[in-house]
Amino acid sequence: MAIQKVMVIGAGQMGSGIAQVCAQAGLEVLLNDISEESYERGIGTITRNLSRNVEKGRMAEDEKAAVLQRFTKSLSLQDAKDVDLVIEAAVENMDIKQSIFKQLDVIAPEHAILASNTSSLPITEIAAVTNRPAQVIGMHFMNPVPVMKLVEIIRGLATSDEVYNSIEELTKKLQKVPVEVNDFPGFVANRVLMPMINEAIFTLYEGVATKEAIDEVMKLGMNHPMGPLTLADFIGLDTCLYIMETLYEGFGDSKYRPCPLLRKYVKAGWLGKKSGRGFYEYS
Ligand SMILES: CC(=O)CC(=O)SCCNC(=O)CCNC(=O)[C@H](O)C(C)(C)COP(=O)(O)OP(=O)(O)OC[C@H]1O[C@@H](n2cnc3c(N)ncnc32)[C@H](O)[C@@H]1OP(=O)(O)O
Ligand SMILES: NC(=O)C1=CN([C@@H]2O[C@H](COP(=O)(O)OP(=O)(O)OC[C@H]3O[C@@H](n4cnc5c(N)ncnc54)[C@H](OP(=O)(O)O)[C@@H]3O)[C@@H](O)[C@H]2O)C=CC1
């Protein structure tokens, strides 16, 4: 069955990007958030991104208007009653995700696929709270979504081949490249990336170098587009901490212990770019 109508849950940095690429691919999009303010912020970001595309000559003005018309505001999960797919991009917290999936399982039509953009939490555990584990899957986009090509597609223990194939096909329709991954903490992307970021934080914590020097080493020495501390701020320090905790708990190995400095910053509300302050300050 072709996927035509999608609900994206969470209008934050990931949800707004996912909603944008879905609408650009011609899908009808319900953009859902618990707060109206977050919805407005999300749709504002999408509108600015589309305007930049027009300014750069990549999109016509009427195409921008057509993309924006495909959005509907949603402040209630009940709106999932007639969608073909839900992509959940709320905060990286198992209790919140399980609560959302439990409700969606009751509300969404029988044929609907329930996907999560979780960056590290087990898909199998999210699927287990539903009565349709074969239709639950991980669809892990990268930040910033409109720019980054990869989508890690994560098969839960019970995910069916039919559902996997539909999501792979949709990913290509969104002009992204799917890579199949099995369900282990952090999948591939964050199992490799996040310990590197955590180690960069330890390097700062232990006074090996300044934050600027650490970032410069990785940018100029390894050709990374952003240094690891800038990237951590960009991802969100709360998300980085949640991911490290998932790796630490999931593997029970001390090599994944989150750096105390990361914990301290999150406790202080220094969440990175989105809160105006992390390792760096943002105006
Ligand atoms: C945590 C997880 O679970 C998984 C993850 O996502 S981990 C994070 C993965 N992402 C990364 O590693 C990103 C690393 N950084 C980069 O690739 C680059 O710095 C970057 C693409 C973000 C910016 O690139 P840059 O060359 O430094 O800056 P800039 O010239 O401003 O941007 C390049 C293009 O991207 C676009 N862009 C940048 N940020 C954007 C955003 N947030 N949204 C939409 N478009 C954006 C710009 O408009 C620009 O496009 P055009 O010039 O063609 O209009
Ligand atoms: N940041 C990144 O680089 C990446 C993140 N991810 C994953 O994507 C997900 C979202 O991350 P990100 O976009 O960065 O986070 P943000 O904090 O930017 O956005 C999360 C959004 O979800 C909203 N929200 C919270 N709870 C609910 C709920 N119960 N129902 C609906 N909306 C809710 C928040 O609203 P409010 O602000 O009002 O609380 C906020 O608007 C996480 O699972 C994360 O791990 C995946 C890939 C990359």
Side-chain angles (χ1 to χ4, degrees), residues 37-199:
E37 196 190 331
S38 297
Y39 170 84
E40 292 301 339
R41 204 172 37 233
I43 200 78
T45 303
I46 293 168
T47 309
R48 275 193 306 281
N49 284 346
L50 295 175
S51 298
R52 199 172 50 232
N53 284 341
V54 173
E55 278 157 30
K56 296 233 166 181
R58 285 190 294 251
M59 184 179 265
E61 191 65 56
D62 57 350
E63 198 184 337
K64 173 186 155 190
V67 171
L68 285 173
Q69 276 209 331
R70 290 186 198 121
F71 284 99
T72 305
K73 172 164 81 174
S74 163
L75 297 175
S76 163
L77 289 184
Q78 292 299 331
D79 298 330
K81 62 186 182 304
D82 60 353
V83 300
D84 305 309
L85 167 69
V86 179
I87 307 175
E88 171 277 320
V91 286
E92 189 72 349
N93 174 299
M94 182 56 95
D95 291 342
I96 292 176
K97 290 196 191 297
Q98 284 187 330
S99 153
I100 291 173
F101 274 70
K102 222 180 222 172
Q103 294 175 67
L104 287 173
D105 191 34
V106 176
I107 300 162
E110 225 171 88
H111 74 273
I113 297 173
L114 308 182
S116 175
N117 179 55
T118 175
S119 41
S120 62
L121 295 167
I123 297 300
T124 306
E125 227 173 293
I126 297 173
V129 300
T130 73
N131 290 312
R132 60 176 100 190
Q135 287 159 246
V136 177
I137 193 162
M139 211 178 171
H140 183 207
F141 290 81
M142 302 293 127
N143 188 12
V145 179
V147 179
M148 306 299 279
K149 286 280 159 224
L150 173 72
V151 178
E152 267 190 309
I153 304 184
I154 301 106
R155 277 183 187 268
L157 204 54
T159 309
S160 72
D161 287 343
E162 194 191 343
V163 165
Y164 180 86
N165 292 337
S166 297
I167 293 301
E168 187 179 62
E169 199 181 307
L170 175 73
T171 301
K172 290 178 185 162
K173 190 174 164 183
L174 301 181
Q175 312 291 323
K176 304 288 181 198
V177 179
V179 175
E180 182 178 350
V181 171
N182 285 323
D183 191 18
F184 281 91
F187 317 126
V188 172
N190 282 316
R191 182 157 174 187
V192 177
L193 174 70
M194 214 40 81
M196 190 270 289
I197 288 178
N198 195 45
E199 201 58 35

